[in-house]
Structure formats: C-alpha cells, structure tokens
Amino acid sequence: MMGPSKVKKWVVLSILSVAVVLIGTTLAWKLFFKKTSIRHIILISIDTCRSDYLSCYGYPRKTTPNIDQVAQEGVLFENVIAPVPMTRPSHASMLTGKLPFFHDVRLNSDMFGDFNLTLQEILKPNGYTTSGIVSSFVLSSKFGFNQGFDYFNDHFEKRADRSHEDDRLGEEATRIAN
C-alpha cells in the first residue's frame, strides 16, 4: 500500500509525463505540418485485429493487399501501445492524444465528453475535411464519437443474415468510404 506522499509523487509524475508528451506532440505537429504538403490523412483502426496477421507487418502470406498499399504510400506505425484493452477508451485516446484518466472514457459504457479536443477538431482549421465511418455501435454518435467530424456514418444496414444491427462488415464500411 502506498502512502500519501508516494501517491502524490505518482500523480505529479503522471501529470508531468502527459504534459511533456502533449507539448512534444503539439510542437512536432506544428513543425511537421507547416513544412509538408500532406493533404490526406487516413486513420484505420481495426479492433481485435492482430498486426502479426497483416502482410505489411511481416505476415508471410499476402492477406491484406489494400492495407499494404496504404502502408507503402503512407506512414506505418510499428510501435503502438493501447492505453487500455477496450474499444471505446482506446479510440478516445487515439482521437484526443490523452490517457483515459484525462479524457474520462475508462470503460465501454462511458460517454465521450465534448470537453475533449479531438484530432478532427485540430485538422478542421488547418483546411482538412474530416469523415468518420465506424463499424461498431460502441463508437457511434450516441456516445459522442461523432464530435468534430464533418461527416460521420454510424448507420448500420439491416441484413437478412444477421439478427442485430449494431455493427457492419469491413466491406460495407469500405463501400461507404469510397
């Protein structure tokens, strides 16, 4: 059991660490985007997909030719760590750059609060048009995940071979994105 002084040190160190990361990210963002002509940014998040089964990450069979092409033409992140092993909190972290303690989405049952500044809200004043296409009810607008997007599609088509309408297959999301 940690005493009060150790807890205070841990909290202060945590806050300082997050502050350093946020300041560093902001500076890198401003320097990087002022010197480049990047016009398209695509964030693909595939929940419960293991990277070691994707060709672009070294899987020997060519299982993901379209993702491989995007990876070849863009930036492939090789060292990514999820802040929590749950969909909603992890996506809130991806869109805000904050840990769950700071964006306040700790469980899949928590709402995404509009007090958070999102990546799409940062991109908009820099001339970007943003779209979000989600394939799971967990990330729907009912929970605030449409915040800051110019276009957000979380309308799931009813399918004869499925009894529920709370998710969509990847091919459907791809069709909507095109």
Side-chain angles (χ1 to χ4, degrees):
M1 185 95 173
M2 289 194 289
S5 65
K6 286 187 179 183
V7 171
K8 283 182 184 177
K9 286 179 185 177
W10 182 85
V11 169
V12 169
L13 285 174
S14 296
I15 291 171
L16 286 174
S17 297
V18 170
V20 167
V21 168
L22 290 175
I23 291 169
T25 303
T26 302
L27 289 174
W29 177 269
K30 288 182 178 183
L31 291 172
F32 180 72
F33 278 101
K34 285 189 177 181
K35 294 182 180 177
T36 67
S37 60
I38 292 176
R39 295 307 316 148
H40 303 283
I41 300 169
I42 300 172
L43 170 63
I44 300 172
S45 169
I46 306 172
D47 200 27
T48 69
C49 178
R50 292 177 39 176
S51 63
D52 59 340
Y53 277 75
L54 302 176
S55 309
C56 59
Y57 285 104
Y59 191 64
R61 291 191 334 219
K62 294 297 177 196
T63 54
T64 52
N66 294 327
I67 292 175
D68 296 346
Q69 184 177 355
V70 171
Q72 283 179 335
E73 295 174 11
V75 177
L76 176 70
F77 293 93
E78 296 181 6
N79 297 305
V80 180
I81 299 171
V84 61
M86 285 182 273
T87 302
R88 197 175 294 164
S90 284
H91 281 78
S93 290
M94 277 190 272
L95 296 176
T96 64
K98 297 178 185 177
L99 294 171
F101 180 76
F102 295 98
H103 58 60
D104 209 28
V105 181
R106 297 181 185 131
L107 301 169
N108 277 338
S109 57
D110 293 338
M111 293 287 295
F112 184 73
D114 61 4
F115 63 88
N116 289 297
L117 178 65
T118 63
L119 175 61
Q120 52 276 19
E121 291 170 312
I122 293 169
L123 291 171
K124 185 178 231 138
N126 287 288
Y128 289 87
T129 302
T130 60
S131 298
I133 301 165
V134 297
S135 296
S136 173
F137 177 75
V138 174
L139 298 175
S140 74
S141 57
K142 292 180 181 183
F143 304 108
F145 278 88
N146 60 328
Q147 178 182 325
F149 284 103
D150 296 309
Y151 171 80
F152 190 82
N153 187 305
D154 61 351
H155 305 290
F156 306 114
E157 297 174 5
K158 185 167 177 131
R159 295 170 34 120
D161 62 337
R162 300 177 79 130
S163 61
H164 53 339
E165 298 176 39
D166 58 355
D167 64 3
R168 68 169 58 122
L169 298 175
E171 60 197 27
E172 183 185 339
T174 301
R175 180 179 47 75
I176 294 166
N178 287 329

